[in-house]
């Protein structure tokens, strides 16, 4: 009697396991694509024309020498809640754009979150803040719009933010 019950339970367990295994084997992962960009305006679902806030891989003394840019940089326009990048589903496919330093020079191709050392605000009308945490939290540094003659001054990030930049937005 016990043997029959044991066999019935064993058979039920084996059938349950086989059903779970079949579902697991036939399940398809969602399609995903990942791209790297050096300007958030290159992300298709972000509407803007060009980046005004430049974040450089190097400190200002190394980033710009004799009037020439020697460091890789990333440009942003508007609010960027996470310097890691942005993702969005398009149908059943997840598309991710990661922000990297580009345009040649030191740091070219490096992910830009927590890697910036200096900032240049070239916006004629917009002030910006760079934050320690994603989602505009923690310590921040203010960058005023460019001067009346269109000069874009490059400034080192404060110690708390150097290589600890996570988000930025209009101030």
């Amino acid at each position: 009697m016990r043997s029959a019950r044991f066999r019935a339970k064993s058979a039920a367990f084996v059938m349950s396991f086989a059903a779970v295994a079949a579902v697991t084997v036939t399940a398809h992962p969602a399609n995903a694509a990942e791209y790297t960009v050096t300007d958030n305006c290159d992300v298709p679902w972000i509407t803007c024309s060009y980046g005004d806030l430049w974040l450089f891989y190097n400190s200002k003394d190394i980033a710009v020498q004799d009037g020439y840019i020697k460091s890789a940089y990333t440009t942003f326009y508007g609010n960027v809640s996470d310097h890691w990048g942005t993702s969005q589903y398009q149908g059943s496919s997840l598309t991710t754009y990661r922000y990297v330093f580009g345009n040649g020079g030191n740091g070219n191709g490096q992910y830009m979150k927590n890697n910036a050392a200096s900032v240049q605000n070239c916006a004629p009308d917009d002030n910006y803040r760079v934050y320690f945490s994603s989602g505009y939290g923690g310590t921040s540094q203010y960058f005023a719009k460019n001067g009346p003659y269109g000069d874009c001054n490059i400034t080192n990030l404060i110690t708390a933010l150097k290589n600890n930049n996570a988000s930025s937005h209009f101030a």
Side-chain angles (χ1 to χ4, degrees):
M1 182 78 150
R2 279 185 159 160
S3 175
R5 272 191 265 158
F6 178 74
R7 275 187 254 161
K9 286 183 180 179
S10 294
F13 174 76
V14 169
M15 293 299 288
S16 297
F17 181 78
V20 169
V23 168
T24 304
V25 170
T26 59
H28 296 285
N31 294 329
E34 185 171 300
Y35 305 95
T36 57
V37 293
T38 61
D39 188 324
N40 70 322
C41 295
D42 293 335
V43 177
W45 55 83
I46 296 176
T47 304
C48 56
S49 56
Y50 58 89
D52 287 330
L53 185 70
W54 296 36
L55 290 99
F56 291 89
Y57 181 79
N58 293 113
S59 297
K60 71 178 187 176
D61 294 337
I62 299 170
V64 178
Q65 297 174 10
D66 299 322
Y68 294 97
I69 296 173
K70 301 289 185 176
S71 178
Y73 59 91
T74 299
T75 56
F76 289 139
Y77 178 79
N79 300 334
V80 180
S81 65
D82 194 344
H83 286 173
W84 175 88
T86 182
S87 295
Q88 181 173 322
Y89 276 97
Q90 297 180 340
S92 63
S93 298
L94 179 65
T95 302
T96 300
Y97 284 84
R98 296 284 311 268
Y99 300 127
V100 297
F101 290 104
N103 307 298
N106 300 331
N108 195 54
Q110 296 289 318
Y111 291 118
M112 73 85 49
K113 183 174 184 175
N114 296 330
N115 267 331
S118 58
V119 174
Q120 178 174 276
N121 183 3
C122 292
D125 299 315
D126 303 314
N127 303 312
Y128 280 93
R129 278 196 177 278
V130 173
Y131 292 86
F132 180 84
S133 299
S134 297
Y136 320 118
T139 301
S140 68
Q141 186 174 354
Y142 176 83
F143 298 93
K145 62 185 176 183
N146 69 12
Y149 303 106
D151 51 337
C152 304
N153 296 321
I154 185 169
T155 306
N156 284 331
L157 284 166
I158 60 175
T159 303
L161 294 175
K162 184 176 181 179
N163 297 325
N164 285 307
N165 58 292
S167 60
S168 55
H169 79 73
F170 291 131

